[in-house]
Amino acid sequence: MSKKNDEIKTFYKGLGFCGFGIGSNTAEVDVKDGKVLRIRPMKFDKKYKQEELNPWKIEVRGKTFEPKMKTLLPPFSYIYKKRMFSKNRVLYPLKRVDWDPNGERNTQNRGESKYVRISWDEATDIIANEIKRIHKQYGPYAILSQGDGHGETKAIHGPHGCQKNLLELLGGSTTQARNADSWEGWYWGIKHFWGCEPIGQGLQKNMWWDVSNNTKMLLYWGCDPETTPWGWGGQNPSRLCRWFKEIGIKSVFISPDLNYTGAVWADKWIPVIPNTDAALQLAIAYIWIKEDSYDKEYVATHTVGFEPFRQYVMGEEDGEAKTPEWASKICGVPTYTIKALARKWAKDATTIGHCNGGSYIRSGYSSEPARLEGCLLAMQGLGKPGRGQLKFIEFGQYGLHEYYPCPKSKVIPNVGGAYNGATYDISGQFLPKTLIPKAILGDWTVENPMTWYGVTSSGFPADDQFVEYQYPIEEGGSELHMIWTDTPCWTTCWNGGNSMIKALRSPKIEFVLAQHPWLENDCLFADIILPVSSKFEQEDIACDNQSGAFNSLYYEGKCVETRGEAKSDYECVCEVAKKLGVYEEYTKGMTYEDLIKRGFEMSGCQTLMSYEEFREKEICVVPTDENWKDVVPGFGDFANDPEENPMTTPSGKLEFTSENLSEYFPDDEERPPHPKFIPFGKTHQESYLHPRSEKYPYLLVSNHPRWRVHANMDDVTWLREIPTCKMRGKDGYMYEPVWINPVDAKKQGIAHGDVVKLYNERGWVLGAAYITERIMPHVIYQDHGSRLDPIVTGESDRAGANNLICPTNTVSQHCSGEVTSGFLVGIEKADELELAKQYPEQFNRPYCPHSGQILTSRVIENK
Ligand SMILES: Nc1nc2c(c(=O)[nH]1)N[C@H]1C(S)=C(S)[C@@H](COP(=O)(O)OP(=O)(O)OC[C@H]3O[C@@H](n4cnc5c(=O)[nH]c(N)nc54)[C@H](O)[C@@H]3O)O[C@H]1N2
Ligand SMILES: Nc1nc2c(c(=O)[nH]1)N[C@H]1C(S)=C(S)[C@@H](COP(=O)(O)OP(=O)(O)OC[C@H]3O[C@@H](n4cnc5c(=O)[nH]c(N)nc54)[C@H](O)[C@@H]3O)O[C@H]1N2
Ligand SMILES: [Mo]
């Protein structure tokens, strides 16, 4: 907004990390003398009168909840300048020293080699030549466009998928299809119950109002609003938790850890063994059936297939009644607690709260607890007042659906559609993200292809899960020989990271090209790395459509000069386009001004003001819809009249037994027609009930990081000072905390602060023991996303990147979703000083004495 105040200039910047044109956490950034001076909340009432925005207001029992007239930023926004000036920024194009495109490629050294600086000219020459060579030798599908993922909120400048758009002009590439990672269980499971995915997509309208007015008990089931909606959308979810408490709604937390929200707001914490939620859910259903306390009329009029489910619950199908006694032995919840919970739920209007569902929604067989949640909600009249599913953050999802659990906005601005979209293009050859290692490591041909069901990306209809796809495709298909990634964090965010390392080092992959702002994670496996600029260095347009007060669209000015020779993701691809002679075609001759205008015109906000007005004001804050209170909450329409408002299931009803699954996969024991508790099977053996647990006796919970957003921000020195973020070992290195119960710590001879080793047959990672009763016995917890710091590359890691050792196999045999939490490990005390002797090179990488952060020692400066 370039306001002159002495020499201080102020800019709007969206400092959220969702990407995909979905934004949040809008800040005002003060800049002086080319430096970011401070980052502050954005004030809505600077350019608008409060009444113009029609602030929503919820009034219950003499109390009021309404939005603040400013954004409520999480710490990640305030510290963001640290990221821009991180010592790990990639500042120049880099080439791996022992990779020679005209000679030895030494693919086996990826992850260990050092890098030298090269010029943009040299880098783009190599890239253009490699693309041409690979196209000629193998065809366009030999190049994998790995362009998806979250990241800095950017529109024009990417951050993800620009390379795909360029390669399309040259004949195509293999698309890496983004998985429904956040909600695998909903995607593969509940979609066959109520026809739609994430969390009742589109059917979570006006839930803040409904819960406030009608709910008596709120179950935070795998839900930590003080961490995850906070990390994404700021502090409104925190205010909401407080509000629910204030108005007397019982807050009950069901999770293996007493998470950051539970620690502050819980009336009761019910610890549950990871990924055994299905057993607990079945026992609740058992009590309701036995005590005749479920909504029989609703079940008769709104659902189908209840009888086979009932028989299973009561033990008539398999001879095992799903009693609280049965469940208690599996899930660790005492029988009296199960009974009390079931009885209270049957008596009082209950809603289940989620951010995206919690780690059990990303575990083996996650389709089952997801479907069972639908079953329980249906048994108590889903959609009747106060009986629903609440999502703690709102957004306009990729422009596909609208949900507004908080009061409805006139417009949900979205700028993603104007620039991205290519990562969902599956018209040619594509691969689900979770199957990339299997694809690379196998010997697949058109005659003997790898096959799977479904595109696996969010938003595809349920029927797509019965379509079989293959790699390589019949027409022009090819195995992969090059990877072009702008999302180099597979190893720290996906399933079975060590298998991806193996794939990245395969001689089949002749060229790995990464573009990224920071030298970290999969970048260490790239042959060429292009330097990417950060938000502060770019001009762009952004929106905030998920922080819950007001939605907005705003112009983002360039705050500071670009560091080194970095360029935005879009500009990196432009440079390659120039060398390939398709620059004009790629940019369509559009200037940044044209692109900003296009973003505005597709945003939704063009209905509220003219482009000229937008550029003048630099912001469009969207008022609350005048009629927001008229929106029937949640599944209310369906509850009121299921015939008029059917679900998108084959029957139009809620399906206890899925008609589609009964037809297409009647014999699938891992996702049967009606949901079951599946402790282990062909695909996974990650359970205490399986003999494997004798060797690896603990279940690891790997939540979304409290002090990062996935792979982002592990190197922020200010965050690393926080004791639950990192713990210093005897060697000065900062280790990722591993929560362990005092009982287990004693058993294993582990003291608070000891360096520990987590291991299974897939490898081992280190961490530092954080002894606390906030984690239940037999369970340990370590956040995901810690930056890769390999000890033995492909086997072990010092920083605690635990995705390296999570299962490679997907949700189940017909469900190619990721499994990244709730898996078996062993834990033992490790001696970091001894390990340093054993692995001197790895343990002697230089680190910052203050933050313990590993400094990039991989770049050899050119003479
Ligand atoms: N153990 C465990 N693993 C999990 C989960 C879990 O619960 N437990 N959850 C899963 C879930 S829900 C998700 S969504 C995934 C997230 O996985 P991803 O979406 O893949 O991870 P991110 O770290 O958000 O971002 C992707 C990459 O983009 C980079 N990036 C940020 N900004 C830019 C930019 O401007 N340009 C470029 N080129 N790159 C940029 C980041 O540094 C990072 O390397 O993780 C999954 N993994
Ligand atoms: N700070 C921060 N915020 C983020 C992100 C981040 O990386 N960091 N990522 C963003 C993204 S992409 C997403 S998808 C969302 C994810 O949001 P969520 O799905 O809500 O996040 P999770 O951390 O996976 O899980 C929430 C809680 O589930 C509980 N839990 C873990 N395992 C189990 C289990 O087996 N059973 C039960 N009942 N509970 C369990 C834990 O208490 C955990 O705190 O967060 C978003 N916001
Ligand atoms: Mo996610």
Side-chain angles (χ1 to χ4, degrees), residues 25 105 147 270 281 395 449 478 498 549 797 809:
N25 303 340
R105 288 178 187 250
I270 301 180
Q281 290 162 319
F395 48 79
S478 162
N498 273 336
D797 190 81
N809 283 350

Side-chain angles (χ1 to χ4, degrees), residues 76 150 182 221-224 227-232 254-257 259 272-277 354-360 362 701-710 784 821:
F76 305 119
H150 298 301
S182 310
W221 203 317
C223 179
D224 186 9
T227 297
T228 51
W230 180 69
W232 246 1
I254 305 176
S255 49
D257 53 333
N259 60 36
V272 62
I273 288 174
N275 207 20
T276 61
D277 298 81
H354 292 298
C355 174
N356 271 334
S359 305
Y360 71 99
R362 298 172 214 104
V701 173
S702 178
N703 291 334
H704 284 223
R706 167 81 177 164
W707 300 114
R708 290 184 291 271
V709 179
H710 308 295
H784 99 100
S821 189

Side-chain angles (χ1 to χ4, degrees), residues 270-514:
I270 301 180
V272 62
I273 288 174
N275 207 20
T276 61
D277 298 81
L280 172 61
Q281 290 162 319
L282 285 163
I284 293 170
Y286 176 91
I287 294 285
W288 291 345
I289 294 169
K290 185 151 176 275
E291 300 184 354
D292 209 14
S293 56
Y294 67 99
D295 191 335
K296 283 210 279 301
E297 199 200 318
Y298 183 98
V299 168
T301 50
H302 290 68
T303 76
V304 296
F306 181 71
E307 183 50 24
F309 171 76
R310 190 201 62 78
Q311 288 176 12
Y312 170 71
V313 172
M314 302 316 284
E316 292 162 27
E317 183 189 307
D318 58 2
E320 181 127 66
K322 309 302 174 294
T323 61
E325 291 71 24
W326 167 83
S328 183
K329 284 193 211 108
I330 295 167
C331 70
V333 182
T335 50
Y336 53 85
T337 306
I338 300 177
K339 288 178 192 163
L341 175 65
R343 286 171 189 151
K344 179 150 178 69
W345 190 343
K347 186 161 89 38
D348 291 337
T350 297
T351 282
I352 302 181
H354 292 298
C355 174
N356 271 334
S359 305
Y360 71 99
I361 234 66
R362 298 172 214 104
S363 286
Y365 310 122
S366 57
S367 53
E368 305 309 289
R371 286 197 282 170
L372 283 165
E373 177 163 324
C375 296
L376 294 186
L377 288 167
M379 288 175 80
Q380 295 302 338
L382 170 66
K384 291 186 174 180
R387 296 163 191 269
Q389 204 189 36
L390 165 77
K391 202 172 184 312
F392 270 87
I393 48 175
E394 161 197 7
F395 48 79
Q397 170 79 351
Y398 321 148
L400 291 175
H401 300 274
E402 288 186 1
Y403 25 7
Y404 27 90
C406 60
K408 184 176 188 292
S409 184
K410 249 191 152 50
V411 164
I412 300 182
N414 186 310
V415 286
Y419 313 100
N420 297 325
T423 48
Y424 290 86
D425 174 10
I426 50 134
S427 52
Q429 183 166 289
F430 79 96
L431 278 166
K433 189 160 188 171
T434 51
L435 297 180
I436 303 285
K438 188 174 171 192
I440 294 175
L441 295 170
D443 274 320
W444 310 110
T445 59
V446 174
E447 294 72 40
N448 173 36
M450 180 176 95
T451 59
W452 67 92
Y453 289 92
V455 171
T456 75
S457 290
S458 173
F460 278 83
D463 289 358
D464 172 62
Q465 293 180 22
F466 312 118
V467 179
E468 199 178 30
Y469 295 92
Q470 74 171 63
Y471 162 87
I473 54 169
E474 274 177 27
E475 209 174 311
S478 162
E479 280 201 289
L480 301 178
H481 293 286
M482 169 178 164
I483 298 176
W484 187 347
T485 179
D486 64 17
T487 320
C489 64
W490 212 104
T491 49
T492 44
C493 289
W494 295 84
N495 50 311
N498 273 336
S499 57
M500 185 61 175
I501 290 184
K502 206 165 162 205
L504 282 167
R505 302 174 113 188
S506 154
K508 245 192 234 173
I509 303 300
E510 296 163 17
F511 181 30
V512 180
L513 167 60

Side-chain angles (χ1 to χ4, degrees), residues 64 66 71 149 162 361 401 433 451 477 482 547 572 607 629 653 726 831:
T64 307
E66 56 195 330
T71 53
C162 296
I361 234 66
H401 300 274
K433 189 160 188 171
T451 59
M482 169 178 164
S547 49
C572 289
T607 56
K629 279 193 186 165
K653 301 265 173 87
K726 297 285 169 186
D831 185 335

Side-chain angles (χ1 to χ4, degrees), residues 603-619:
S603 68
C605 286
Q606 75 280 15
T607 56
L608 302 176
M609 60 166 60
S610 69
Y611 182 63
E612 289 66 36
E613 200 186 333
F614 173 68
R615 289 311 301 268
E616 166 68 32
K617 220 170 183 164
E618 296 195 344
I619 188 157

